[in-house]
Structures are given as C-alpha cells and as structure tokens.
Amino acid sequence: MKQYTNNHIRFAEVLTHVIGWGIVFGFPFFIINRGGEAIDWMGYLRHSGVSLSFFIVFYLNYFLLIPRYLFSGRIREYMLLNLALIILMSGGLHLWQSVLFGNTPPKAPRKDLPPGWIFFVRDMFSMVLTIGLSAAIKMSIRWGQVEDARREAEKSRTEAELKNLRNQLNPHFLLNTLNNIYALIAFNTDKAQLAVQELSKLLRHVLYDNQQTYVSLGKEMDFIRNYIELMRIRLSSNVTVETHIDIAPDNRTEIAPLIFISLIENAFKHGISPTEPSFIRISFSEGNGEVKCEITNSYHPKAETDKSGSGIGLEQVSKRLELIYPGRYQWQRGTSKDKKEYSSKLVIKVVMSEYH
C-alpha cells in the first residue's frame, strides 16, 4: 500500500513538471502568432531560447546544486555557482538571439521599445526567480519526506511503547490473579483449584489476543465476565458484586485489549473489606459511537504493608489511552466526599462495527 501511494505521488510530480514546462514552452506561440497567421518557426526558436535557459537553470538546481550544496549547508558555494550559472546562461541566451538569428531581416524599428540592456536584466531576474522556484519545490518535497519519516518514526515509537506496556501488563495481571489464588489455598483448596481452572481460560486472551492492537468488543466482554467470575470465588458473603454488561457477545466493534481490566482489578483490590460490608458495581454499554465503562465500589484502601500487586495498573491505563485514543476518551475517577466510595467512568469514542 505504501509503495502504491509513493508511485502515485511520483507520477503526480512528473505530470506536474510536464504540464508546467509544456505551458512555458508553449507560451511563445501566443507572442509570435497573435494575428492567426502561419506559425513563424524561426521566431518560435528565437523566443524558446528563453524558455530553454529557464529549463536548464531550473533542473541544474533541482537535481544537482540544491541537493549537493544547499541541503548540505554549503550556501556560499551554492550562491556563487548560481551567480556564475546566471551570467553564463544570460550570455548564452544573448548569443542565441543575436548571433544565430542575427541575419534575420529586421522589421521596422519601434521607437517605443526600451534599451536592449533592459531585456538582459529582465532575463537575469527571471532566472533568479526560476532558481527560487526550483529551491521552493525541492525544499517542499524534502520537507514532506522528512515529515513522512518523522511520522513513521513516531508510529514505530508508539508501537514499541504499546508493546512494552502490553508486555508489562501480562505479568502484572498474572501476578495479581496468582495472589488471589494463593489467598484461597490457605482456607479453601477446592475453590483454589476452581480458580486455577478459570485462570487457564483467561490466559489465552491475555497471552495471545493482547498482542493485537484491537480485539472485538464482544470478545473483550467475555474475558471480563470470566475474570469477574474468577474474582467471585474468593469473595465472602458480605461482598455484593453487581454487573450490567449491555453488549452482545457477537459485537465486533474494535477495542484495545485489556484496556478495562486494570479498572476492575482496582475495584476488587480496594473495594473489598474482610470485615465490613462491601460492594462493587460494574457497568458496560455502547451507543452513539462510544463505549462506556462505569465502576463504583466501596472504598477500603489497602494497608501500606500489603504488597500484593505493583500499583502500575492505572498508570498503564492512562498511558495506553493517550497512545491509542488521544483526544478520543474521557476518564473521570476519584473518591466521594466522605471517602467511602470510589468511582471510575471511562468513555472511549470508537468506530462502531456494522456487525452488531
């Protein structure tokens, strides 16, 4: 696809040059044939010498002087060479018109014509403008190439950073889940075994689907349902978990994988107390090109001595959102005024699939 685009750009560039110089070399016809008489080919050759000199000056700069001298910072040499080129071409143009066509029978002299040196200065000034045009076109092309290279480098950097974040997320998710299973082993071996079975269902999504830039929203919601069920295994009776996922299993809207899981992990980590009544409410919905995730939980921050997890989950969510959905998301989070509840509302603007 990139090669196809480059070929089209190259074709457009060549076509522009052909059309532009076609107009320049065709312009003398409008000067020597205003009355509709037969074409004076000798007159055309005499006038086309000006166009030819512009052509030579333009492409000597375009292909040689600008890349070799101007772009390498050798500006003084570039200006001196162009000065010599202008003098040489102006002299050659004078010879072209006075020597080769000097034997042409002169027409009746016109008293209103300016002195000959005016035309000489005019041609030199036109060559300076031609050099400027050549430099402007070449520099704009070079700027476009530099900008393309910058965007490609930025894309590669972003992809590398996303890959690094995903590679961090896998062990982070696995570590938190294993900590939960470890806690179960101490008081309920059967539940711990069931948790290991549930964990195996999740690993495929974490280890394989997470390597993609996007997955279907339906598949991501299946993963979240399974994860919530895994977390329920270790909960006591004083914890209430409510889920409302208004997204069909076959929903094909694309979403970044595991973009929500750290929010749910955070709810289970800080929303559960072993002694006090606790609750977690999780809601997902999609509509008007937006995916909404709303989570509210009782707030029981873990003690400083609790070393479970590494605390990088929410930080990763923030970084991934900026890399994948810059300017296309809203994330509101924080505790209530009485510090008893924590809420997180994440809205992501996505491209909705027609296969709902």
Side-chain angles (χ1 to χ4, degrees):
M1 182 64 181
K2 183 178 179 181
Q3 182 65 31
Y4 178 81
T5 303
N6 288 339
N7 289 339
H8 271 65
I9 293 174
R10 183 62 179 169
F11 175 77
E13 180 184 349
V14 172
L15 184 62
T16 301
H17 282 254
V18 171
I19 293 174
W21 286 110
I23 294 173
V24 171
F25 279 95
F27 184 72
F29 282 113
F30 296 96
I31 298 177
I32 65 176
N33 196 31
R34 296 181 192 177
E37 302 92 355
I39 296 176
D40 180 5
W41 289 107
M42 291 300 293
Y44 173 75
L45 287 176
R46 180 162 52 86
H47 285 91
S48 63
V50 177
S51 302
L52 181 62
S53 66
F54 292 165
F55 182 88
I56 294 172
V57 168
F58 182 93
Y59 283 110
L60 275 176
N61 272 270
Y62 194 83
F63 290 114
L64 179 63
L65 299 181
I66 294 173
R68 180 171 296 183
Y69 295 96
L70 184 61
F71 287 170
S72 62
R74 300 159 66 182
I75 298 178
R76 182 179 179 183
E77 295 176 53
Y78 173 74
M79 295 180 66
L80 289 174
L81 286 171
N82 268 299
L83 179 60
L85 178 63
I86 291 173
I87 294 173
L88 179 64
M89 292 305 301
S90 298
L93 184 59
H94 177 72
L95 289 175
W96 173 272
Q97 293 181 336
S98 63
V99 176
L100 295 181
F101 300 95
N103 296 325
T104 304
K107 298 181 180 179
R110 293 175 53 183
K111 297 181 179 180
D112 58 339
L113 288 177
W117 64 268
I118 292 291
F119 296 100
F120 189 78
V121 173
R122 178 203 63 185
D123 292 338
M124 292 185 67
F125 181 72
S126 298
M127 289 182 192
V128 172
L129 294 180
T130 302
I131 292 171
L133 178 63
S134 177
I137 294 175
K138 194 69 173 178
M139 292 180 73
S140 66
I141 293 174
R142 189 192 190 205
W143 178 86
Q145 293 171 342
V146 170
E147 185 66 15
D148 288 342
R150 186 196 66 78
R151 282 196 295 264
E152 191 66 27
E154 180 68 17
K155 180 181 177 182
S156 299
R157 185 195 66 80
T158 300
E159 290 176 351
E161 190 168 348
L162 280 172
K163 184 176 180 180
N164 181 54
L165 285 172
R166 287 196 296 263
N167 290 339
Q168 291 179 32
L169 184 59
N170 285 347
H172 169 73
F173 167 82
L174 186 59
L175 177 63
N176 284 347
T177 307
L178 288 177
N179 282 335
N180 290 333
I181 295 175
Y182 176 77
L184 281 174
I185 293 174
F187 62 88
N188 194 323
T189 305
D190 293 336
K191 282 190 175 183
Q193 292 176 346
L194 179 60
V196 172
Q197 292 178 350
E198 292 294 328
L199 175 61
S200 65
K201 298 178 183 178
L202 303 177
L203 286 181
R204 180 177 180 82
H205 185 82
V206 174
L207 297 177
Y208 297 104
D209 293 338
N210 187 37
Q211 299 307 310
Q212 305 175 37
T213 304
Y214 299 101
V215 296
S216 69
L217 185 58
K219 181 181 290 187
E220 187 69 14
M221 291 301 104
D222 284 341
F223 168 77
I224 287 175
R225 289 187 188 96
N226 291 333
Y227 178 79
I228 293 173
E229 292 306 312
L230 174 61
M231 293 296 100
R232 285 182 191 271
I233 295 175
R234 63 164 292 188
L235 299 181
S236 59
S237 58
N238 69 330
V239 180
T240 302
V241 178
E242 299 177 9
T243 60
H244 179 74
I245 301 179
D246 188 18
I247 295 174
D250 60 348
N251 187 301
R252 296 188 183 181
T253 298
E254 292 186 334
I255 196 74
L258 303 185
I259 198 71
F260 303 112
I261 193 62
S262 293
L263 308 183
I264 299 174
E265 282 184 315
N266 191 66
F268 278 98
K269 185 187 300 182
H270 299 294
I272 297 174
S273 169
T275 58
E276 301 178 25
S278 308
F279 72 90
I280 298 174
R281 291 192 291 268
I282 301 171
S283 173
F284 284 93
S285 62
E286 180 191 18
N288 299 323
E290 295 180 341
V291 175
K292 297 180 181 179
C293 169
E294 298 183 64
I295 302 175
T296 306
N297 55 268
S298 50
Y299 187 56
H300 305 288
K302 66 179 183 178
E304 295 181 0
T305 56
D306 186 355
K307 301 301 181 181
S308 62
S310 56
I312 65 172
L314 297 184
E315 181 182 349
Q316 283 187 329
V317 173
S318 181
K319 288 182 179 180
R320 292 185 71 200
L321 286 170
E322 280 299 317
L323 290 171
I324 305 174
Y325 301 105
R328 295 167 51 199
Y329 76 93
Q330 293 180 346
W331 188 14
Q332 300 173 348
R333 50 179 170 151
T335 57
S336 60
K337 292 183 179 180
D338 58 7
K339 302 297 181 181
K340 292 184 178 181
E341 291 186 5
Y342 180 90
S343 62
S344 174
K345 181 179 180 180
L346 175 60
V347 179
I348 299 176
K349 295 182 180 180
V350 295
V351 178
M352 296 179 65
S353 171
E354 59 180 339
Y355 302 103
H356 272 20

PDB file of all heavy atoms in Angstrom, residues 61-83:
ATOM      1  N   ASN A  61      19.633  23.219 -10.789  1.00  0.00           N
ATOM      2  CA  ASN A  61      19.418  23.429  -9.360  1.00  0.00           C
ATOM      3  C   ASN A  61      18.664  22.261  -8.740  1.00  0.00           C
ATOM      4  O   ASN A  61      19.019  21.770  -7.664  1.00  0.00           O
ATOM      5  CB  ASN A  61      18.629  24.729  -9.135  1.00  0.00           C
ATOM      6  CG  ASN A  61      19.520  25.934  -9.020  1.00  0.00           C
ATOM      7  OD1 ASN A  61      19.956  26.302  -7.928  1.00  0.00           O
ATOM      8  ND2 ASN A  61      19.828  26.545 -10.160  1.00  0.00           N
ATOM      9  N   TYR A  62      17.620  21.817  -9.419  1.00  0.00           N
ATOM     10  CA  TYR A  62      16.717  20.794  -8.863  1.00  0.00           C
ATOM     11  C   TYR A  62      17.445  19.483  -8.586  1.00  0.00           C
ATOM     12  O   TYR A  62      17.239  18.859  -7.532  1.00  0.00           O
ATOM     13  CB  TYR A  62      15.575  20.577  -9.859  1.00  0.00           C
ATOM     14  CG  TYR A  62      14.398  19.810  -9.305  1.00  0.00           C
ATOM     15  CD1 TYR A  62      13.411  20.463  -8.573  1.00  0.00           C
ATOM     16  CD2 TYR A  62      14.257  18.446  -9.532  1.00  0.00           C
ATOM     17  CE1 TYR A  62      12.323  19.772  -8.068  1.00  0.00           C
ATOM     18  CE2 TYR A  62      13.173  17.750  -9.043  1.00  0.00           C
ATOM     19  CZ  TYR A  62      12.207  18.406  -8.313  1.00  0.00           C
ATOM     20  OH  TYR A  62      11.136  17.722  -7.815  1.00  0.00           O
ATOM     21  N   PHE A  63      18.298  19.063  -9.530  1.00  0.00           N
ATOM     22  CA  PHE A  63      18.933  17.748  -9.406  1.00  0.00           C
ATOM     23  C   PHE A  63      20.376  17.798  -8.902  1.00  0.00           C
ATOM     24  O   PHE A  63      20.875  16.787  -8.413  1.00  0.00           O
ATOM     25  CB  PHE A  63      18.919  17.022 -10.764  1.00  0.00           C
ATOM     26  CG  PHE A  63      17.546  16.572 -11.188  1.00  0.00           C
ATOM     27  CD1 PHE A  63      16.947  17.127 -12.305  1.00  0.00           C
ATOM     28  CD2 PHE A  63      16.856  15.612 -10.467  1.00  0.00           C
ATOM     29  CE1 PHE A  63      15.681  16.723 -12.703  1.00  0.00           C
ATOM     30  CE2 PHE A  63      15.589  15.205 -10.852  1.00  0.00           C
ATOM     31  CZ  PHE A  63      14.994  15.752 -11.981  1.00  0.00           C
ATOM     32  N   LEU A  64      21.032  18.958  -9.024  1.00  0.00           N
ATOM     33  CA  LEU A  64      22.461  18.999  -8.686  1.00  0.00           C
ATOM     34  C   LEU A  64      22.790  19.992  -7.578  1.00  0.00           C
ATOM     35  O   LEU A  64      23.258  19.600  -6.497  1.00  0.00           O
ATOM     36  CB  LEU A  64      23.270  19.322  -9.939  1.00  0.00           C
ATOM     37  CG  LEU A  64      24.791  19.426  -9.757  1.00  0.00           C
ATOM     38  CD1 LEU A  64      25.354  18.073  -9.319  1.00  0.00           C
ATOM     39  CD2 LEU A  64      25.464  19.899 -11.049  1.00  0.00           C
ATOM     40  N   LEU A  65      22.562  21.260  -7.836  1.00  0.00           N
ATOM     41  CA  LEU A  65      23.053  22.278  -6.914  1.00  0.00           C
ATOM     42  C   LEU A  65      22.327  22.266  -5.569  1.00  0.00           C
ATOM     43  O   LEU A  65      22.974  22.401  -4.513  1.00  0.00           O
ATOM     44  CB  LEU A  65      22.927  23.665  -7.564  1.00  0.00           C
ATOM     45  CG  LEU A  65      23.718  23.867  -8.865  1.00  0.00           C
ATOM     46  CD1 LEU A  65      23.529  25.280  -9.375  1.00  0.00           C
ATOM     47  CD2 LEU A  65      25.196  23.565  -8.650  1.00  0.00           C
ATOM     48  N   ILE A  66      21.013  22.138  -5.581  1.00  0.00           N
ATOM     49  CA  ILE A  66      20.262  22.166  -4.317  1.00  0.00           C
ATOM     50  C   ILE A  66      20.582  20.953  -3.437  1.00  0.00           C
ATOM     51  O   ILE A  66      20.920  21.125  -2.257  1.00  0.00           O
ATOM     52  CB  ILE A  66      18.750  22.277  -4.593  1.00  0.00           C
ATOM     53  CG1 ILE A  66      18.438  23.629  -5.231  1.00  0.00           C
ATOM     54  CG2 ILE A  66      17.947  22.101  -3.306  1.00  0.00           C
ATOM     55  CD1 ILE A  66      17.004  23.777  -5.690  1.00  0.00           C
ATOM     56  N   PRO A  67      20.517  19.713  -3.967  1.00  0.00           N
ATOM     57  CA  PRO A  67      20.851  18.568  -3.099  1.00  0.00           C
ATOM     58  C   PRO A  67      22.302  18.571  -2.637  1.00  0.00           C
ATOM     59  O   PRO A  67      22.587  18.226  -1.484  1.00  0.00           O
ATOM     60  CB  PRO A  67      20.552  17.351  -3.999  1.00  0.00           C
ATOM     61  CG  PRO A  67      19.631  17.853  -5.058  1.00  0.00           C
ATOM     62  CD  PRO A  67      20.037  19.276  -5.285  1.00  0.00           C
ATOM     63  N   ARG A  68      23.228  18.947  -3.541  1.00  0.00           N
ATOM     64  CA  ARG A  68      24.646  18.810  -3.199  1.00  0.00           C
ATOM     65  C   ARG A  68      25.166  19.972  -2.352  1.00  0.00           C
ATOM     66  O   ARG A  68      26.017  19.757  -1.472  1.00  0.00           O
ATOM     67  CB  ARG A  68      25.472  18.705  -4.482  1.00  0.00           C
ATOM     68  CG  ARG A  68      26.965  18.553  -4.241  1.00  0.00           C
ATOM     69  CD  ARG A  68      27.705  18.233  -5.516  1.00  0.00           C
ATOM     70  NE  ARG A  68      27.318  16.935  -6.072  1.00  0.00           N
ATOM     71  CZ  ARG A  68      27.882  16.402  -7.160  1.00  0.00           C
ATOM     72  NH1 ARG A  68      28.839  17.054  -7.800  1.00  0.00           N
ATOM     73  NH2 ARG A  68      27.474  15.233  -7.597  1.00  0.00           N
ATOM     74  N   TYR A  69      24.665  21.175  -2.574  1.00  0.00           N
ATOM     75  CA  TYR A  69      25.220  22.332  -1.888  1.00  0.00           C
ATOM     76  C   TYR A  69      24.254  22.946  -0.862  1.00  0.00           C
ATOM     77  O   TYR A  69      24.615  23.134   0.293  1.00  0.00           O
ATOM     78  CB  TYR A  69      25.648  23.399  -2.910  1.00  0.00           C
ATOM     79  CG  TYR A  69      26.777  22.956  -3.794  1.00  0.00           C
ATOM     80  CD1 TYR A  69      26.511  22.425  -5.058  1.00  0.00           C
ATOM     81  CD2 TYR A  69      28.098  23.053  -3.375  1.00  0.00           C
ATOM     82  CE1 TYR A  69      27.546  21.998  -5.883  1.00  0.00           C
ATOM     83  CE2 TYR A  69      29.139  22.633  -4.194  1.00  0.00           C
ATOM     84  CZ  TYR A  69      28.862  22.094  -5.443  1.00  0.00           C
ATOM     85  OH  TYR A  69      29.884  21.678  -6.248  1.00  0.00           O
ATOM     86  N   LEU A  70      23.035  23.265  -1.303  1.00  0.00           N
ATOM     87  CA  LEU A  70      22.105  23.940  -0.393  1.00  0.00           C
ATOM     88  C   LEU A  70      21.720  23.042   0.780  1.00  0.00           C
ATOM     89  O   LEU A  70      21.754  23.471   1.938  1.00  0.00           O
ATOM     90  CB  LEU A  70      20.856  24.369  -1.162  1.00  0.00           C
ATOM     91  CG  LEU A  70      19.825  25.176  -0.355  1.00  0.00           C
ATOM     92  CD1 LEU A  70      20.442  26.469   0.160  1.00  0.00           C
ATOM     93  CD2 LEU A  70      18.587  25.471  -1.202  1.00  0.00           C
ATOM     94  N   PHE A  71      21.361  21.774   0.508  1.00  0.00           N
ATOM     95  CA  PHE A  71      20.921  20.866   1.568  1.00  0.00           C
ATOM     96  C   PHE A  71      22.064  20.417   2.477  1.00  0.00           C
ATOM     97  O   PHE A  71      21.828  19.968   3.591  1.00  0.00           O
ATOM     98  CB  PHE A  71      20.235  19.636   0.975  1.00  0.00           C
ATOM     99  CG  PHE A  71      18.855  19.919   0.431  1.00  0.00           C
ATOM    100  CD1 PHE A  71      18.182  18.975  -0.330  1.00  0.00           C
ATOM    101  CD2 PHE A  71      18.232  21.135   0.678  1.00  0.00           C
ATOM    102  CE1 PHE A  71      16.916  19.240  -0.825  1.00  0.00           C
ATOM    103  CE2 PHE A  71      16.968  21.403   0.188  1.00  0.00           C
ATOM    104  CZ  PHE A  71      16.303  20.448  -0.578  1.00  0.00           C
ATOM    105  N   SER A  72      23.288  20.553   1.999  1.00  0.00           N
ATOM    106  CA  SER A  72      24.438  20.187   2.832  1.00  0.00           C
ATOM    107  C   SER A  72      25.009  21.374   3.588  1.00  0.00           C
ATOM    108  O   SER A  72      26.055  21.255   4.232  1.00  0.00           O
ATOM    109  CB  SER A  72      25.522  19.541   1.967  1.00  0.00           C
ATOM    110  OG  SER A  72      25.996  20.454   0.991  1.00  0.00           O
ATOM    111  N   GLY A  73      24.346  22.544   3.482  1.00  0.00           N
ATOM    112  CA  GLY A  73      24.784  23.705   4.242  1.00  0.00           C
ATOM    113  C   GLY A  73      25.868  24.526   3.569  1.00  0.00           C
ATOM    114  O   GLY A  73      26.351  25.503   4.158  1.00  0.00           O
ATOM    115  N   ARG A  74      26.230  24.203   2.337  1.00  0.00           N
ATOM    116  CA  ARG A  74      27.288  24.947   1.631  1.00  0.00           C
ATOM    117  C   ARG A  74      26.633  26.095   0.845  1.00  0.00           C
ATOM    118  O   ARG A  74      26.646  26.141  -0.375  1.00  0.00           O
ATOM    119  CB  ARG A  74      28.055  24.000   0.724  1.00  0.00           C
ATOM    120  CG  ARG A  74      28.723  22.874   1.489  1.00  0.00           C
ATOM    121  CD  ARG A  74      29.059  21.671   0.620  1.00  0.00           C
ATOM    122  NE  ARG A  74      30.066  21.974  -0.374  1.00  0.00           N
ATOM    123  CZ  ARG A  74      30.495  21.093  -1.280  1.00  0.00           C
ATOM    124  NH1 ARG A  74      29.990  19.846  -1.279  1.00  0.00           N
ATOM    125  NH2 ARG A  74      31.400  21.432  -2.171  1.00  0.00           N
ATOM    126  N   ILE A  75      26.069  27.028   1.591  1.00  0.00           N
ATOM    127  CA  ILE A  75      25.230  28.067   0.990  1.00  0.00           C
ATOM    128  C   ILE A  75      26.069  29.038   0.151  1.00  0.00           C
ATOM    129  O   ILE A  75      25.635  29.474  -0.921  1.00  0.00           O
ATOM    130  CB  ILE A  75      24.461  28.815   2.094  1.00  0.00           C
ATOM    131  CG1 ILE A  75      23.544  27.834   2.824  1.00  0.00           C
ATOM    132  CG2 ILE A  75      23.660  29.980   1.518  1.00  0.00           C
ATOM    133  CD1 ILE A  75      22.770  28.430   3.962  1.00  0.00           C
ATOM    134  N   ARG A  76      27.270  29.390   0.639  1.00  0.00           N
ATOM    135  CA  ARG A  76      28.110  30.335  -0.100  1.00  0.00           C
ATOM    136  C   ARG A  76      28.474  29.772  -1.468  1.00  0.00           C
ATOM    137  O   ARG A  76      28.369  30.479  -2.484  1.00  0.00           O
ATOM    138  CB  ARG A  76      29.372  30.646   0.701  1.00  0.00           C
ATOM    139  CG  ARG A  76      30.287  31.659   0.030  1.00  0.00           C
ATOM    140  CD  ARG A  76      31.510  31.945   0.878  1.00  0.00           C
ATOM    141  NE  ARG A  76      32.397  32.891   0.217  1.00  0.00           N
ATOM    142  CZ  ARG A  76      33.559  33.281   0.696  1.00  0.00           C
ATOM    143  NH1 ARG A  76      33.969  32.817   1.880  1.00  0.00           N
ATOM    144  NH2 ARG A  76      34.309  34.134   0.042  1.00  0.00           N
ATOM    145  N   GLU A  77      28.883  28.513  -1.509  1.00  0.00           N
ATOM    146  CA  GLU A  77      29.214  27.885  -2.789  1.00  0.00           C
ATOM    147  C   GLU A  77      27.973  27.808  -3.675  1.00  0.00           C
ATOM    148  O   GLU A  77      28.060  27.994  -4.896  1.00  0.00           O
ATOM    149  CB  GLU A  77      29.781  26.486  -2.544  1.00  0.00           C
ATOM    150  CG  GLU A  77      31.114  26.484  -1.810  1.00  0.00           C
ATOM    151  CD  GLU A  77      31.576  25.072  -1.506  1.00  0.00           C
ATOM    152  OE1 GLU A  77      31.632  24.252  -2.442  1.00  0.00           O
ATOM    153  OE2 GLU A  77      31.856  24.781  -0.328  1.00  0.00           O
ATOM    154  N   TYR A  78      26.836  27.537  -3.066  1.00  0.00           N
ATOM    155  CA  TYR A  78      25.590  27.443  -3.825  1.00  0.00           C
ATOM    156  C   TYR A  78      25.271  28.780  -4.500  1.00  0.00           C
ATOM    157  O   TYR A  78      24.908  28.812  -5.689  1.00  0.00           O
ATOM    158  CB  TYR A  78      24.462  27.024  -2.890  1.00  0.00           C
ATOM    159  CG  TYR A  78      23.086  27.050  -3.514  1.00  0.00           C
ATOM    160  CD1 TYR A  78      22.703  26.062  -4.418  1.00  0.00           C
ATOM    161  CD2 TYR A  78      22.183  28.072  -3.219  1.00  0.00           C
ATOM    162  CE1 TYR A  78      21.448  26.082  -5.005  1.00  0.00           C
ATOM    163  CE2 TYR A  78      20.913  28.095  -3.798  1.00  0.00           C
ATOM    164  CZ  TYR A  78      20.556  27.103  -4.683  1.00  0.00           C
ATOM    165  OH  TYR A  78      19.313  27.124  -5.266  1.00  0.00           O
ATOM    166  N   MET A  79      25.416  29.867  -3.780  1.00  0.00           N
ATOM    167  CA  MET A  79      25.096  31.182  -4.338  1.00  0.00           C
ATOM    168  C   MET A  79      26.097  31.577  -5.422  1.00  0.00           C
ATOM    169  O   MET A  79      25.711  32.135  -6.458  1.00  0.00           O
ATOM    170  CB  MET A  79      25.078  32.226  -3.214  1.00  0.00           C
ATOM    171  CG  MET A  79      23.972  31.996  -2.186  1.00  0.00           C
ATOM    172  SD  MET A  79      23.943  33.232  -0.873  1.00  0.00           S
ATOM    173  CE  MET A  79      23.495  34.700  -1.803  1.00  0.00           C
ATOM    174  N   LEU A  80      27.387  31.292  -5.204  1.00  0.00           N
ATOM    175  CA  LEU A  80      28.400  31.634  -6.207  1.00  0.00           C
ATOM    176  C   LEU A  80      28.195  30.835  -7.485  1.00  0.00           C
ATOM    177  O   LEU A  80      28.306  31.375  -8.595  1.00  0.00           O
ATOM    178  CB  LEU A  80      29.802  31.390  -5.641  1.00  0.00           C
ATOM    179  CG  LEU A  80      30.262  32.362  -4.549  1.00  0.00           C
ATOM    180  CD1 LEU A  80      31.605  31.926  -3.974  1.00  0.00           C
ATOM    181  CD2 LEU A  80      30.340  33.800  -5.093  1.00  0.00           C
ATOM    182  N   LEU A  81      27.875  29.569  -7.342  1.00  0.00           N
ATOM    183  CA  LEU A  81      27.646  28.732  -8.524  1.00  0.00           C
ATOM    184  C   LEU A  81      26.417  29.202  -9.290  1.00  0.00           C
ATOM    185  O   LEU A  81      26.407  29.204 -10.534  1.00  0.00           O
ATOM    186  CB  LEU A  81      27.493  27.268  -8.108  1.00  0.00           C
ATOM    187  CG  LEU A  81      28.788  26.558  -7.694  1.00  0.00           C
ATOM    188  CD1 LEU A  81      28.478  25.194  -7.087  1.00  0.00           C
ATOM    189  CD2 LEU A  81      29.699  26.389  -8.909  1.00  0.00           C
ATOM    190  N   ASN A  82      25.388  29.611  -8.580  1.00  0.00           N
ATOM    191  CA  ASN A  82      24.197  30.111  -9.260  1.00  0.00           C
ATOM    192  C   ASN A  82      24.458  31.448  -9.933  1.00  0.00           C
ATOM    193  O   ASN A  82      23.919  31.726 -11.010  1.00  0.00           O
ATOM    194  CB  ASN A  82      23.032  30.225  -8.274  1.00  0.00           C
ATOM    195  CG  ASN A  82      22.189  28.978  -8.234  1.00  0.00           C
ATOM    196  OD1 ASN A  82      21.609  28.572  -9.232  1.00  0.00           O
ATOM    197  ND2 ASN A  82      22.123  28.343  -7.072  1.00  0.00           N
ATOM    198  N   LEU A  83      25.283  32.297  -9.303  1.00  0.00           N
ATOM    199  CA  LEU A  83      25.643  33.568  -9.931  1.00  0.00           C
ATOM    200  C   LEU A  83      26.387  33.313 -11.237  1.00  0.00           C
ATOM    201  O   LEU A  83      26.092  33.947 -12.272  1.00  0.00           O
ATOM    202  CB  LEU A  83      26.505  34.392  -8.978  1.00  0.00           C
ATOM    203  CG  LEU A  83      26.995  35.744  -9.499  1.00  0.00           C
ATOM    204  CD1 LEU A  83      25.801  36.644  -9.846  1.00  0.00           C
ATOM    205  CD2 LEU A  83      27.913  36.420  -8.476  1.00  0.00           C
TER     206      LEU A  83
END
